[in-house]
Amino acid sequence: MTHPTGWGLIGASNVAREWIIDAIRAQPGGEVRAVLSNDAGRGAAFAQANGIAHHTTSLQDLLSRRDIDAVYISTGNRLHVEQTIAAARAGKHVMCEKPLALSVEDASEMVRVCNHAGVVLGTNHHLRNAATHMAIHGLIEDGRIGGLIAARVFHANFLSAALQGWRVNDQDGGVILDSTIHDIDTLRFLFDENPVSAFAMTQSGRLARDGIEDGIMAVLRFPGDVLVQIHGGYTTPFSPGGIEIMGERGIIVGRDCMSQRPIGTVSVRDADGEHEIPLKHHNLYHRAFGLFTSAIHGDGRPAATGEDGVASLAIALALRESARTGREIGINVP
Ligand code: NDP
């Protein structure tokens, strides 16, 4: 169904330029009406390069526009809280980038204010929209490999020079809040559960400033004594991304599936051999913005809700806390 939906972009960011403007315009009736940047020149250049009619440096100016129904927030991570709360109070629906905030308290407040204002809050965890992960979820749900025992996630790569800004220099960067948080969301989606505890060791100093992690090896314990190992990082060129889920009767193997692009394969290995699961790939962000658009027009929920964003942040911060203290950290998702 066509839903005319006017969008404002809060943040003249790389991810908006590369993926999200296209995803908004892929929705019937989806239009990008304005962009906010702190820098008037950068905002003007971004608007012109991307065919956006209006640009502004004032959040109030953008939020007071009556032709904007929803905003997409992709500014620096420490700005998401106040921008989400301001947008909700102005009656705009919010698709916010991860991490929703830098503390669980702030992220929970974002959810509370959006609920109170009657607007939809989505978290842009793209991976749960991938055909690969949707297929893996179905296989687990159907009991194809029996009861779960363990899993491994490989999501380490090499951060391109163009992306070596805040990710490796700022305290709100680092691989956990940037990338491992997506793995956490994917695991929550696949298992339909939250982990109960976390342990992590991190690396720093190869690409990131000291004190900001550029590599992580982590273990999450899920209910039922299911252990999950995660490797994430910015410093290892040529490493393939993937996931393996081990059950009592077989293994699900996902290859090249920790990607923003619609790629990858899924197979099941069991007593009958190895079988590749047929997949019909689609653009992950098109699906995410499609579900979000339906949700703001009263139909269904975003792929990842605000509550999902609070949960992924709580678990990501538990990993950071474990790396800092050297202890296994119990997780209480609010
Ligand atoms: P960028 O670094 O491209 O943009 C972040 C902010 O930096 C922008 O809001 C912009 O400020 C400012 N900025 C951009 N270019 C410049 C420049 N040349 N000089 C000075 N400032 C600049 O960030 P990303 O697109 O990589 O990430 C943005 C958010 O999106 C983060 O929260 C990140 O975690 C998330 N993200 C999510 C992804 C996903 O797939 N879900 C993928 C990648 C990122 P201003 O708006 O004021 O111009």
Side-chain angles (χ1 to χ4, degrees), residues 48-319:
Q48 183 172 16
N50 295 289
I52 301 168
H54 303 281
H55 59 90
T56 178
T57 57
S58 157
L59 181 61
Q60 285 320 317
D61 180 27
L62 183 129
L63 293 178
S64 64
R65 293 189 68 94
R66 298 181 61 173
D67 62 351
I68 289 181
D69 308 296
V71 296
Y72 166 64
I73 298 179
S74 63
T75 47
N77 295 335
R78 70 177 74 90
L79 299 176
H80 297 174
V81 186
E82 66 178 74
Q83 291 169 335
T84 296
I85 288 175
R89 289 191 172 140
K92 311 299 183 191
H93 303 282
V94 181
M95 176 67 112
C96 187
E97 271 303 343
K98 41 44 71 173
L100 283 188
L102 300 178
S103 74
V104 175
E105 293 71 25
D106 280 351
S108 300
E109 179 66 2
M110 291 160 74
V111 170
R112 194 192 66 73
V113 172
C114 287
N115 285 342
H116 185 255
V119 299
V120 175
L121 174 61
T123 308
N124 198 27
H125 279 307
H126 57 290
L127 288 173
R128 58 166 68 204
N129 293 287
T132 47
H133 293 297
M134 290 167 64
I136 295 171
H137 182 255
L139 291 166
I140 294 172
E141 208 172 44
D142 292 348
R144 182 74 181 265
I145 57 169
L148 300 183
I149 299 171
R152 299 193 292 200
V153 179
F154 320 94
H155 194 175
N157 44 36
F158 191 82
L159 195 64
S160 68
L163 295 182
Q164 289 175 30
W166 58 266
R167 285 178 172 79
V168 292
N169 289 308
D170 293 354
Q171 285 304 331
D172 52 356
V175 75
I176 296 176
L177 292 185
D178 184 34
S179 166
T180 308
I181 195 166
H182 284 307
D183 308 336
I184 291 167
D185 179 70
T186 305
L187 290 160
R188 292 185 64 252
F189 165 69
L190 293 177
F191 294 174
D192 288 320
E193 289 195 289
N194 289 312
V196 294
S197 68
F199 186 83
M201 292 187 192
T202 54
Q203 300 168 311
S204 185
R206 285 186 174 81
L207 270 185
R209 252 185 340 108
D210 264 351
I212 299 167
E213 76 282 349
D214 56 22
I216 178 169
M217 291 270 186
V219 179
L220 295 174
R221 186 186 296 275
F222 278 78
D225 205 19
V226 176
L227 289 180
V228 179
Q229 175 192 49
I230 302 174
H231 176 209
Y234 292 150
T235 61
T236 53
F238 312 115
S239 9
I243 189 165
E244 295 171 353
I245 319 272
M246 292 85 168
E248 290 160 344
R249 289 202 306 274
I251 299 179
I252 302 169
V253 180
R255 289 278 174 253
D256 295 320
C257 57
M258 308 310 288
S259 171
Q260 293 173 287
R261 289 179 295 133
I263 58 170
T265 59
V266 174
S267 57
V268 175
R269 248 184 248 173
D270 58 19
D272 298 328
E274 180 152 356
H275 330 274
E276 187 160 332
I277 306 298
L279 298 176
K280 201 162 178 288
H281 284 292
H282 52 254
N283 183 302
L284 284 59
Y285 298 96
H286 286 198
R287 182 174 187 275
F289 277 74
L291 290 174
F292 185 85
T293 302
S294 295
I296 70 178
H297 293 285
D299 180 13
R301 293 149 44 93
T305 61
E307 286 83 355
D308 289 315
V310 175
S312 64
L313 177 64
I315 299 159
L317 292 177
L319 289 180

